[in-house]
Amino acid sequence: MPTVAIIGGQWGDEGKGKIIDLLAENAQMVVRFSGGDNAGHTVINPLGEFRMHLIPSGIFYPGTVCIISNGVVINPAVLLSELDGLQKHGLDVSHLFVSDRAHLIMPYHTLLDGLEEQSRGQGAIGTTKKGIGPAYADKSARLGIRAGDLLDRDFFRQRLRSVLEYKNKILTKVYEAQPLSLDEVYEQYCQYGERLAPFIRETASMTHEALERGELVLLEGAQGTLLDLDFGTYPYVTSSSPLAGSACIGSGLGPTRIDSILGVFKAYNTRVGAGPMPTELTDETGDRIREHAHEYGTTTGRPRRCGWFDAVLARYSVRINGFTGIALTRLDILDILPRLNICTAYRIDGQTHSTPPSNSALLERSQPVYEEIPGWQSDTSHIRRFDDLPKKAQAYVRRIEELAGCPVAIISVGPAREQSIMVRPIL
Ligand code: IMP
């Protein structure tokens, strides 16, 4: 009954899609458990290059059941266009299921995300404007509309009427925007409901049954630990929990059912959107990494901020998630650099800190303490065994393990499935 959770260890975009695509080959089920279409996974496999926002990367294996579970917020238009794109490539999507408990992103959520960001002015979070924050806020405020509601039109209309009455007051009176029409939203979502009906069901019991059959289940995280609502760089965070702990609540599994928790880290750091990033490189090296690695957002196309590997945050992330192994991605990107730095501590107002402060203004003031590591300056993208990596690359990986306090299980040296080094078993 093994269950493996795959979790972002940094600010998202760590390459979780590639790792899940790799592991899904042996899995019978992949469950996406949090976030929404703010996430973007690029998967490159023999069928082509795919940018996925909601559908689990396991969809490419016909025998793998894929679930979008209760913890996800779903924009039905995005889900349907992703389904259309896959079907155009001749892929069978009948093994995808959507939880009836998953909340829906409604038109007022996307509108309000944009309006709220605008009203924050200089203090804008830099959200993806996909309506994620407003949708999770409504879930907590008990104003949400769930996928299962679309299957009962009378109930859906009744619910939409009362929520929309309130949302229209906010749109018109707070933001002086146009109100939304009940009939138009209702009709549009009924059409979505009709198309999505074959996929919607109670999914937690499907996962329990898979585990009872002894199948391998992957829990696919979205975003990363430092974007977590509680433990991230608040308020510059997303509105859900990308942590391993949330894999249970977001999928309906008890904490005792998770056997292995793989933390995915890039071999350097990136961040998209506003908020502190102590190891950010605003110089030529940062630009070189961005261009060489094509560090631009999958969802918004925004340039990602690039920086050195931050071991203070990595150790924090390992502890908060209880990682049992690390998947270190994009090691090959560092092939071009003559010298590397790893941040081992912060200096804040004259004091040395080995854990990050919770106050984002203090984190903004943190001066990274660096350990310099010589670069290996040779191509690693063709290497498939740890012992074949240049000695200096091995030393870099070993130092990350030591500082983070967790063994490296997988190293990725390129986007293709085969460009992977299996260092130790994940289970
Ligand atoms: P939101 O999730 O759209 O509300 O955005 C909140 C913050 O999280 C912003 O800084 C976004 O750039 C960031 N964010 C959300 N999803 C992702 C992701 O999948 N990768 C990287 N950053 C993300």
Side-chain angles (χ1 to χ4, degrees), residues 11-13 38-40 113 125-130 132-133 222-223 227 236-239 271-274 299 302:
W11 277 290
D13 308 319
N38 48 349
D113 199 355
I125 293 164
T127 74
T128 58
K129 300 201 178 124
K130 302 287 179 189
I132 307 299
Q223 286 84 42
L227 290 172
Y236 301 98
V237 292
T238 189
S239 295
R271 172 164 206 172
V272 55
T299 303
R302 291 179 289 178

Side-chain angles (χ1 to χ4, degrees), residues 267 281 308-310 339-343 370-373 396:
L281 286 164
W308 297 121
F309 189 87
D310 188 332
R339 288 176 299 100
L340 308 169
N341 280 318
I342 298 182
C343 169
Y370 284 125
E371 185 174 299
E372 193 175 298
I373 311 255
Y396 183 71

Side-chain angles (χ1 to χ4, degrees), residues 93-142:
V93 292
S94 63
H95 52 119
L96 174 76
F97 299 95
V98 174
S99 167
D100 51 3
R101 289 188 168 88
H103 282 245
L104 298 178
I105 296 189
M106 305 298 291
Y108 41 84
H109 292 140
T110 27
L111 277 175
L112 287 168
D113 199 355
L115 292 166
E116 285 167 7
E117 272 290 86
Q118 215 175 346
S119 75
R120 285 183 194 115
Q122 288 295 315
I125 293 164
T127 74
T128 58
K129 300 201 178 124
K130 302 287 179 189
I132 307 299
Y136 277 114
D138 274 1
K139 177 175 176 173
S140 294
R142 292 155 294 185

Side-chain angles (χ1 to χ4, degrees), residues 5-9 261-265 317 321 323-328 406:
I6 294 110
I7 306 293
I261 307 173
L262 196 59
V264 187
F265 290 82
S317 186
N321 289 290
F323 290 146
T324 53
I326 286 176
L328 193 67
C406 186

